[in-house]
């Protein structure tokens, strides 16, 4: 049979579209995907039917979406997702440039694997918008074993009193997104036990200055835990750096195992919060190269009293800067802010911690603490308007704390506003304080309320400063200096601030010095005269001369 038809060619998507030759019949000239072939440019490309090529992805506009910001596109978007459910392979649902208004939740159900693909021309120009009357429920929810991908798509939400999210992933679901940007909403993304969550170039911005949002990212669980979490690049912030109160937490980790966060900027009332409770836990978390600004409570906070506790958490190479606010009540890094907790291996390494509203790092009264490493950090106060309290504060009863190679002090040229470099509020055992620079603190480099047991050596400001003058009393607290001038007439009965093997020399500078007396941790009394010096050694419980 001879063909009297002709080829119709179009160059589209870097390939060649061609109409098959057809008989000169009534149907000649009609162009449909059954009679069109496609071949990609490049060596080795094979011919495919137009139908196969066009069905690689679907558009929400194929199902009636308008995208004008006014029309309700809920039904059309859900229909597109439902279509993807019927395919054996993951399906891409395109959102062409436009604003797609929804009035109810979009559900990505069990066994559904779908990618929402928006449009970007340097900025994202495709968005899903929550209607003003849509005040309850999540915008998109992944349930069961559903898997959702998102690329270059914006979610415009509203703040409500309910715990609703732009995107929520239930137990067993997965979310992978690049270029997911969320404006407003009580929560940005919520993982309620997700099997996998990956966010690249993620942005959450609360632009509502009247209603505070709860968290840009919430990691929680009903059963099991949120696992395999990767957050890389982007920002989570309130409308302005000067107004962090409108965003409670940048990231709240209530239940997670296996979290990596890097190259992220956060400005919120609480930067990153670890908040497990009951049998929930926060484990195996690595935070690197994160910038935390303008927090009024904490940059990183560990709160609550979970039975399973916190474990194997590292914060490194990050910047915590509280200089934008004055009068905050918490520390840049606060462990045990409200209640004792089990802790197994916390590491704070190579961070820049500046202008904290209270302490640089505060470790509270933990029920157990197997290992806390504070290594190579710069903890500095530059703010001439508001004093920091302590560089590193350690509650009584801790053990296994290693402070090594840190620079802790004041950098303000106006006044020395950071009080103590390190404050030990009671006993600290089995610990090391070595190779730190503690030389620029207003009250002194080190305060020990009761005792220290471990290794303390080569600390600038302790080993190179010879003496300190303190007022006498029946009880005195020593810093880390080797020599002390004692003023006053009271007889010393108890000397706090010792560690096993510590040697100090006291010089009594008074016309009628009280000397040493028994009844505390000095087992043998001694009478002294003015300008007499006494050398004492601490054996772990008592001072001997």
């Amino acid at each position: 049979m001879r063909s009297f038809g002709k080829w119709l060619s179009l160059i589209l998507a870097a390939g060649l579209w061609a109409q098959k030759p057809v008989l000169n019949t009534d149907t000649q000239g009609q162009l449909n995907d059954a009679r069109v072939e496609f071949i990609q440019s490049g060596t080795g490309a094979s011919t495919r039917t137009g139908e196969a090529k066009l069905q690689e992805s679907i558009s929400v506009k194929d199902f009636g979406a308008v995208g004008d910001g006014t029309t309700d596109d809920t039904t059309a978007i859900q229909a597109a997702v439902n279509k993807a459910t019927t395919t054996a392979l993951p399906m891409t649902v395109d959102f062409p440039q436009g604003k797609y208004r929804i009035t109810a939740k979009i559900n990505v159900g069990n066994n559904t694997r779908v990618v929402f693909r928006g449009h970007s021309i340097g900025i994202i120009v495709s968005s899903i918008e929550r209607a003003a009357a849509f005040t309850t429920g999540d915008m998109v929810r992944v349930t069961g074993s559903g898997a959702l991908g998102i690329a270059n798509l914006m979610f415009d939400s509203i703040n409500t009193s309910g715990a609703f999210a732009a995107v929520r992933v239930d137990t067993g679901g997965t979310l992978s997104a690049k270029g997911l940007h969320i404006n407003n909403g009580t929560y940005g993304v919520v993982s309620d036990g997700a099997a996998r969550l990956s966010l690249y170039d993620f942005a959450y911005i609360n632009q509502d200055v009247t209603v505070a949002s709860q968290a840009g990212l919430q990691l929680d669980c009903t059963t099991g835990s949120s696992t395999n979490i990767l957050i890389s690049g982007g920002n989570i912030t309130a409308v302005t750096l000067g107004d962090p109160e409108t965003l409670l937490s940048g990231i709240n980790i209530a239940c997670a195992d296996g979290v990596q966060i890097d190259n992220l900027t956060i400005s919120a009332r609480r930067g990153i919060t670890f908040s497990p409770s009951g049998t929930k836990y926060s484990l195996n978390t690595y935070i690197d190269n994160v910038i935390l600004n303008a927090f009024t409570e904490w940059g990183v906070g560990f709160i609550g009293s979970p039975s399973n506790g916190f474990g194997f958490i590292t914060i490194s190479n990050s910047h915590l800067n509280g200089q934008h606010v004055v009068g905050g009540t918490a520390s840049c890094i606060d462990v045990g802010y409200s209640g004792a907790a089990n802790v197994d291996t916390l590491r704070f390494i190579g961070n820049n911690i500046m202008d904290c509203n209270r302490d640089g790092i505060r470790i509270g009264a933990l029920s157990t603490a197997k290992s806390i490493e504070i290594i190579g950090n710069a903890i500095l106060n530059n703010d001439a308007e508001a004093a920091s309290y302590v560089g590193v504060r350690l509650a009584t009863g801790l053990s296994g704390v290693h402070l090594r190679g840190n620079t802790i002090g004041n950098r303000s040229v106006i006044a020395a506003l950071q009080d103590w470099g390190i404050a030990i509020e009671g006993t600290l055992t089995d610990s090391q304080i070595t190779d730190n620079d503690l030389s620029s603190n207003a009250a002194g480099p080190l305060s020990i309320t009761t005792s220290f047991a471990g290794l303390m050596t080569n600390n600038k400001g302790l080993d190179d400063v010879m003496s300190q003058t303190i007022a006498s009393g029946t009880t005195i607290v020593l810093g880390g200096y080797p020599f002390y001038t004692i003023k006053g007439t009271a007889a010393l009965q108890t000397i706090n601030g010792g560690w096993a093997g510590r040697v100090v020399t006291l010089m009594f500078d008074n016309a009628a010095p009280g000397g040493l007396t028994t009844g505390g941790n000095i087992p043998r009394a001694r009478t002294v005269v003015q300008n007499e010096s006494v050398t004492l050694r601490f054996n772990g419980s008592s001072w001997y001369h």
Side-chain angles (χ1 to χ4, degrees):
M1 180 183 301
R2 294 179 61 189
S3 171
F4 297 98
K6 60 183 179 180
W7 289 88
L8 174 65
S9 299
L10 298 170
I11 301 297
L12 293 173
L16 177 68
W17 292 84
Q19 185 180 7
K20 296 179 182 179
V22 296
L23 292 174
N24 190 11
T25 66
D26 291 341
T27 61
Q28 183 179 355
Q30 294 181 1
L31 182 63
N32 59 73
D33 58 13
R35 294 170 52 200
V36 173
E37 292 178 341
F38 174 84
I39 184 168
Q40 187 62 264
S41 61
T43 304
S46 59
T47 302
R48 303 168 61 195
T49 66
E51 181 179 19
K53 178 64 179 176
L54 292 171
Q55 288 184 347
E56 286 180 353
S57 65
I58 57 180
S59 170
V60 292
K61 291 195 171 185
D62 295 339
F63 295 86
V66 178
D68 60 1
T70 301
T71 304
D72 184 357
D73 290 325
T74 309
T75 300
I77 295 172
Q78 188 64 64
V81 173
N82 294 344
K83 167 61 180 176
T85 306
T86 65
T87 62
L89 298 175
M91 175 66 73
T92 297
V93 174
D94 283 319
F95 288 76
Q97 180 175 350
K99 298 179 180 180
Y100 298 88
R101 181 172 172 267
I102 61 173
T103 57
K105 175 185 65 180
I106 304 299
N107 186 58
V108 178
N110 191 42
N111 297 322
T112 300
R113 291 177 292 172
V114 62
V115 177
F116 288 3
R117 182 170 62 190
H119 188 58
S120 173
I121 52 174
I123 60 172
I124 297 174
V125 293
S126 301
S127 65
I128 301 176
E129 297 187 349
R130 183 191 289 265
F134 179 19
T135 58
T136 60
D138 306 308
M139 294 179 70
V140 174
R141 187 161 189 168
V142 182
T143 60
S145 62
L148 174 63
I150 298 176
N152 298 321
L153 190 60
M154 184 177 296
F155 283 70
D156 282 319
S157 189
I158 57 176
N159 292 6
T160 69
S161 59
F164 308 122
V167 181
R168 182 184 298 270
V169 185
D170 286 343
T171 302
T174 64
L175 170 65
S176 179
K178 184 174 183 180
L180 168 59
H181 291 193
I182 300 172
N183 292 324
N184 303 324
T186 309
Y187 292 93
V189 174
V190 172
S191 168
D192 194 6
R196 183 179 298 275
L197 181 70
S198 300
L199 301 178
Y200 300 89
D201 185 25
F202 171 66
Y204 172 85
I205 301 175
N206 179 35
Q207 298 173 318
D208 189 338
V209 297
T210 61
V211 180
S213 54
Q214 294 299 304
L217 173 64
Q218 172 89 1
L219 303 179
D220 208 338
C221 63
T222 302
T223 59
S225 67
S226 295
T227 59
N228 302 305
I229 309 297
L230 173 61
I231 316 298
S232 183
N235 67 88
I236 301 174
T237 184
V239 63
T240 66
L241 287 178
D243 190 17
E245 293 293 326
T246 60
L247 175 56
L248 180 59
S249 285
I251 299 176
N252 186 36
I253 303 175
C255 181
D257 186 355
V259 180
Q260 178 175 330
I261 302 170
D262 61 61
N263 298 295
L264 191 68
T265 298
I266 299 175
S267 173
R269 178 176 164 188
R270 304 170 177 175
I272 299 174
T273 303
F274 292 84
S275 61
S277 60
T279 58
K280 296 180 180 181
Y281 50 84
S282 294
L283 301 174
N284 301 307
T285 297
Y286 182 59
I287 299 171
D288 183 69
N289 196 25
V290 169
I291 298 174
L292 300 164
N293 280 318
F295 43 86
T296 56
E297 288 198 39
W298 53 73
V300 180
F302 298 77
I303 66 174
S305 303
S307 57
N308 290 326
F310 313 97
F312 306 101
I313 296 172
T314 298
I315 301 173
S316 64
N317 304 312
S318 294
H319 299 264
L320 293 84
N321 192 341
Q323 68 179 347
H324 298 290
V325 292
V326 175
T329 59
S331 305
C332 282
I333 296 177
D334 211 311
V335 183
Y337 182 79
S338 60
N342 301 316
V343 170
D344 189 343
T345 311
L346 298 183
R347 298 185 179 97
F348 309 119
I349 302 174
N351 302 288
N352 289 322
I353 302 173
M354 294 186 177
D355 304 331
C356 304
N357 300 303
R358 187 171 176 85
D359 304 324
I361 298 175
R362 184 175 77 150
I363 311 297
L366 307 175
S367 55
T368 60
K370 294 183 179 179
S371 176
I372 298 175
E373 299 178 4
I374 303 172
I375 300 173
N377 302 280
I379 305 174
L380 305 170
N381 179 35
N382 297 321
D383 193 342
E385 298 179 6
S388 299
Y389 287 68
V390 173
V392 177
R393 186 187 300 270
L394 304 172
T396 188
L398 294 174
S399 64
V401 179
H402 293 188
L403 288 99
R404 184 174 72 250
N406 303 284
T407 298
I408 304 174
N410 164 69
R411 292 204 319 187
S412 171
V413 297
I414 299 176
L417 293 173
Q418 182 159 284
D419 292 337
W420 294 101
I422 299 171
I424 300 170
E425 298 181 326
T427 60
L428 178 63
T429 61
D430 192 25
S431 297
Q432 297 181 10
I433 302 177
T434 62
D435 304 302
N436 302 286
D437 184 346
L438 309 173
S439 59
S440 299
N441 295 280
L446 174 67
S447 169
I448 303 175
T449 303
T450 305
S451 65
F452 169 84
L455 176 65
M456 186 179 300
T457 184
N458 198 30
N459 295 290
K460 186 177 180 181
L462 288 177
D463 299 337
D464 59 349
V465 177
M466 296 304 292
S467 66
Q468 182 182 23
T469 298
I470 57 178
S472 67
T474 57
T475 299
I476 63 171
V477 178
L478 302 182
Y481 301 116
F483 297 95
Y484 292 87
T485 299
I486 307 299
K487 299 285 188 180
T489 61
L492 297 183
Q493 184 176 11
T494 301
I495 302 175
N496 292 325
W499 56 86
R502 183 179 187 187
V503 177
V504 298
T505 298
L506 309 181
M507 194 275 284
F508 293 84
D509 182 18
N510 191 278
L516 306 174
T517 187
T518 59
N521 60 359
I522 302 174
R524 185 163 61 95
R526 178 165 175 170
T527 300
V528 298
V529 298
Q530 187 175 14
N531 295 328
E532 182 177 351
S533 294
V534 178
T535 298
L536 300 98
R537 178 183 293 272
F538 192 65
N539 71 350
S541 60
S542 300
W543 293 94
Y544 289 90
H545 56 88

